Amino acid sequence: MAIKYFITSTGTGIGKTYVTTALIRLARSKNMSVAAYKPVISGFDKQEIAGSDTGEILAALGEAPTEENVARVSPWRFAAPLAPNMAARAEGKTLDCDAILSLSLSALQENADLVLIEGVGGVMVPLDDKKTVLDWIVAAGAPVVLVVGDYLGTISHTLTAVEALRARGVKIAALVVSESGEATVSFDDTLAEIARWTAPLRVLGLRRDAGGDALAPLLA
């Protein structure tokens, strides 16, 4: 039976793609087949595909950053590093949330051992004038991996995101505390405090440059 996750976060730059690519590589090391998508991306520079989130996902999948592969993994790409609704507006466009959901539902039916959909920004980031990433998560129906940071203030942001997800009946498969390398608080202390406040949710700590082994419980 396929393992399916929607990977979201408390905000931008927390580590969603780091977690996505770590899971992909870990799964492939176990000879699992993987399908992964980041349908919406803002701040996308078509001259620097390899360094983008989409490029990193393709690299983890072992696929070249061709125009066709980029369009498959991230059909909605915007240049401005803004919330999706604002980035689309800057290009005179609007996001088609129905199309995003349709793609997501199709992806979740793929014949792969692991299927990942990575969101954009944080849980409450607007997609258009009415819908947020949370609406997308609810409609997609896949369990969530919530990626949170280890910075000062992350506990409040984490608990707010957890409450928002729970209020909409979303199943949270795990919280992943992603190490930034710039925190002023001990990573282990932050990990323990988040685990205490969110119990009985599963909380995993992912240190930078430590590989994805800490995420192994998500593939069990």
Side-chain angles (χ1 to χ4, degrees), residues 5 17 26 52 92 105 111 132 144 177-178 194:
Y5 295 122
T17 302
L26 182 61
S52 69
L105 292 174
N111 184 24
T132 66
V144 157
V177 182
S178 178
I194 287 175

Side-chain angles (χ1 to χ4, degrees), residues 38-70:
K38 185 181 177 74
V40 183
I41 181 171
S42 57
F44 181 79
D45 183 350
K46 61 183 179 181
Q47 304 301 322
E48 299 289 341
I49 294 174
S52 69
D53 291 350
T54 306
E56 291 181 14
I57 290 170
L58 286 168
L61 289 169
E63 300 182 16
T66 64
E67 185 175 335
E68 180 181 5
N69 287 340
V70 167

Side-chain angles (χ1 to χ4, degrees), residues 2-220:
I3 299 171
K4 307 173 185 181
Y5 295 122
F6 192 112
I7 298 178
T8 189
S9 184
T10 52
T12 299
I14 305 297
K16 289 189 303 297
T17 302
Y18 188 70
V19 170
T20 298
T21 54
L23 269 174
I24 292 170
R25 292 190 176 96
L26 182 61
R28 293 184 69 212
S29 74
K30 298 177 180 294
N31 296 315
M32 296 172 66
S33 57
V34 184
Y37 299 86
K38 185 181 177 74
V40 183
I41 181 171
S42 57
F44 181 79
D45 183 350
K46 61 183 179 181
Q47 304 301 322
E48 299 289 341
I49 294 174
S52 69
D53 291 350
T54 306
E56 291 181 14
I57 290 170
L58 286 168
L61 289 169
E63 300 182 16
T66 64
E67 185 175 335
E68 180 181 5
N69 287 340
V70 167
R72 188 191 78 252
V73 171
S74 299
W76 292 273
R77 305 178 300 280
F78 303 102
L82 302 169
N85 64 329
M86 297 173 67
R89 191 182 304 138
E91 298 182 18
K93 303 174 183 177
T94 57
L95 273 173
D96 186 339
C97 291
D98 289 337
I100 294 170
L101 177 58
S102 178
L103 180 145
S104 302
L105 292 174
S106 294
L108 291 168
Q109 298 305 312
E110 286 199 32
N111 184 24
D113 297 320
L114 175 67
V115 180
L116 302 174
I117 296 176
E118 182 184 322
V120 58
V123 169
M124 294 303 297
V125 162
L127 294 174
D128 62 14
D129 291 338
K130 295 183 178 180
K131 295 183 179 179
T132 66
V133 168
L134 180 55
D135 294 309
W136 179 13
I137 290 170
V138 172
V144 157
V145 173
L146 177 62
V147 183
V148 306
D150 65 341
Y151 54 86
L152 183 64
T154 191
I155 294 171
S156 178
H157 296 166
T158 298
L159 296 181
T160 299
V162 168
E163 285 300 311
L165 291 164
R166 282 174 168 166
R168 296 289 295 275
V170 175
K171 179 181 179 181
I172 303 174
L175 272 68
V176 176
V177 182
S178 178
E179 184 181 38
S180 67
E182 302 174 356
T184 57
V185 183
S186 159
F187 182 77
D188 289 335
D189 287 347
T190 298
L191 187 67
E193 193 69 6
I194 287 175
R196 185 173 74 84
W197 278 96
T198 59
L201 291 179
R202 176 165 50 184
V203 178
L204 307 173
L206 183 61
R207 291 185 176 276
R208 291 285 162 163
D209 303 319
D213 288 347
L215 304 178
L218 292 172
L219 300 181

